[in-house]
Amino acid sequence: MFDANKNLPDSKYKMINEGVRLLDDGTFGFDYTLNLPTDIVNLHYPKIALTQSKISNNVYWFGYEFNPDADSKTRTEFINYLKGTNTDSKKITANEVIQFIELPLGALHEKINLYKLDCFIYPNSKRSKLVQTMIEVILSMTAHGLNYLPIELVKQASTEVQFDWEAFKLKHSQYTKGDFKNVYDYVNNVLLPKIHDLDYFSLAKNVKPKYRPYIKNYLTFKNPEDKEVMTKLEGKNILILDDINTSGSTINEILRVIGEINETCNIYIFTLIGKADRDGGVISYV
């Protein structure tokens, strides 16, 4: 595994400028020649940001973090713009998306060597193809044919979704009996029945942020063949890809799905935009 604490030489990418700004016409401009205090996002360099995460002790790194001065509305608009899911006519170009992805991946490549990856694992998104574009950019940058095809995880039937009470109790050991009973009643009598009645479950739309880290069993392998491949990837280098991290819940779920059948992989986790606390754990920024 990559030694996140090793004092590595300065990256040649240290002078990269993010240059993503909100323009007067409501679109976002990409100018990589200059950094300004008004930039929407800041690039993170692997020398600083590639850390042993609290997420199952796997190496986690995110490419960009929102500028603290960017308000919630601007952050949401930029995410929709980047994913191409905004409803107005001002759409991001393919070149803008590719260059935005290339910058942090180029820096990441210096640290973990993308040529040595055996497989990508990623969550399906019906609304955004951004993760698929990230995969295409990596393959284009490295001219690398994977030893295994990318493995896609898809949503399970909503009736399979569960709540991780064990993790919740560990995190909220300070709760009084009354507090815990209120949560227990809400989850079992309101939240889970509501989820189980859905035709399509969305963590972001259907679960309050405070409960998202404890929702589990909502992702599964797209087909039995992919699951069989995962059981054979002993000691292989796996890159988990996701586009936007808000709470770390999706990454946790992917790791849970993998861990149930294979605990021997070298796992790297990369999200295009994310945030970490002082201990390297993932926190929400939206």
Side-chain angles (χ1 to χ4, degrees):
M1 290 286 286
F2 174 80
D3 183 357
N5 298 314
K6 187 177 180 181
N7 185 21
L8 295 168
D10 288 342
S11 167
K12 67 181 180 182
Y13 291 89
K14 66 181 180 179
M15 298 306 294
I16 286 176
N17 298 297
E18 302 87 34
V20 181
R21 297 172 199 114
L22 180 62
L23 304 179
D24 292 338
D25 64 358
T27 61
F28 293 89
F30 292 76
D31 175 10
Y32 297 106
T33 64
L34 181 67
N35 277 332
L36 293 176
T38 54
D39 287 351
I40 302 300
V41 294
N42 299 312
L43 186 72
H44 278 260
Y45 313 118
K47 181 180 177 183
I48 300 172
L50 192 59
T51 60
Q52 289 293 129
S53 172
K54 289 187 294 187
I55 304 180
S56 304
N57 292 320
N58 297 292
V59 175
Y60 170 70
W61 187 62
F62 53 93
Y64 299 92
E65 182 178 14
F66 278 113
N67 187 323
D69 293 331
D71 59 49
S72 178
K73 181 175 182 292
T74 300
R75 294 197 298 266
T76 300
E77 289 178 351
F78 180 68
I79 289 173
N80 291 333
Y81 186 74
L82 189 62
K83 290 184 175 184
T85 56
N86 51 322
T87 56
D88 57 34
S89 60
K90 299 162 183 172
K91 299 293 184 180
I92 191 170
T93 69
N95 286 338
E96 286 174 335
V97 175
I98 290 172
Q99 190 168 14
F100 189 77
I101 294 171
E102 281 180 342
L103 293 180
L105 282 178
L108 181 64
H109 174 54
E110 287 194 331
K111 306 306 177 188
I112 70 170
N113 193 347
L114 299 178
Y115 287 106
K116 293 185 177 181
L117 293 175
D118 294 291
C119 183
F120 303 134
I121 297 179
Y122 66 99
N124 172 270
S125 173
K126 288 188 174 182
R127 297 188 66 230
S128 170
K129 295 182 179 179
L130 189 54
V131 173
Q132 186 63 47
T133 305
M134 292 166 67
I135 292 175
E136 293 170 0
V137 169
I138 295 175
L139 295 177
S140 173
M141 290 172 63
T142 62
H144 173 51
L146 295 175
N147 294 321
Y148 302 89
L149 292 175
I151 293 176
E152 181 180 12
L153 297 181
V154 297
K155 295 288 180 68
Q156 285 217 91
S158 58
T159 52
E160 300 296 322
V161 176
Q162 300 174 5
F163 192 85
D164 192 339
W165 285 110
E166 183 176 343
F168 183 85
K169 291 175 183 177
L170 288 173
K171 182 69 174 180
H172 299 284
S173 59
Q174 80 284 2
Y175 270 29
T176 65
K177 288 184 178 180
D179 290 335
F180 182 79
K181 184 179 184 305
N182 289 336
V183 174
Y184 185 86
D185 289 343
Y186 169 73
V187 170
N188 285 334
N189 299 327
V190 178
L191 180 59
L192 287 180
K194 178 182 176 182
I195 291 173
H196 293 164
D197 283 340
L198 295 170
D199 292 328
Y200 180 79
F201 169 66
S202 168
L203 191 68
K205 290 185 176 181
N206 303 127
V207 183
K208 297 177 181 178
K210 65 185 291 186
Y211 298 115
R212 289 175 193 168
Y214 312 104
I215 299 297
K216 66 177 186 177
N217 210 37
Y218 61 89
L219 290 178
T220 188
F221 292 94
K222 187 176 182 178
N223 53 62
E225 291 77 16
D226 282 350
K227 185 174 182 179
E228 179 64 22
V229 168
M230 190 67 240
T231 64
K232 298 177 180 178
L233 295 179
E234 295 185 1
K236 300 298 184 180
N237 297 317
I238 309 298
L239 180 65
I240 296 175
L241 286 169
D242 200 9
D243 47 16
I244 313 295
N245 173 67
T246 54
S247 66
S249 300
T250 300
I251 293 173
N252 274 329
E253 175 70 355
I254 294 173
L255 288 168
R256 186 191 65 79
V257 172
I258 294 173
E260 285 185 346
I261 59 175
N262 190 330
E263 295 182 340
T264 67
C265 295
N266 298 322
I267 296 180
Y268 304 95
I269 306 165
F270 175 77
T271 55
L272 192 57
I273 301 179
K275 190 170 185 177
D277 62 22
R278 284 175 294 182
D279 297 321
V282 180
I283 60 176
S284 175
Y285 60 80
V286 175

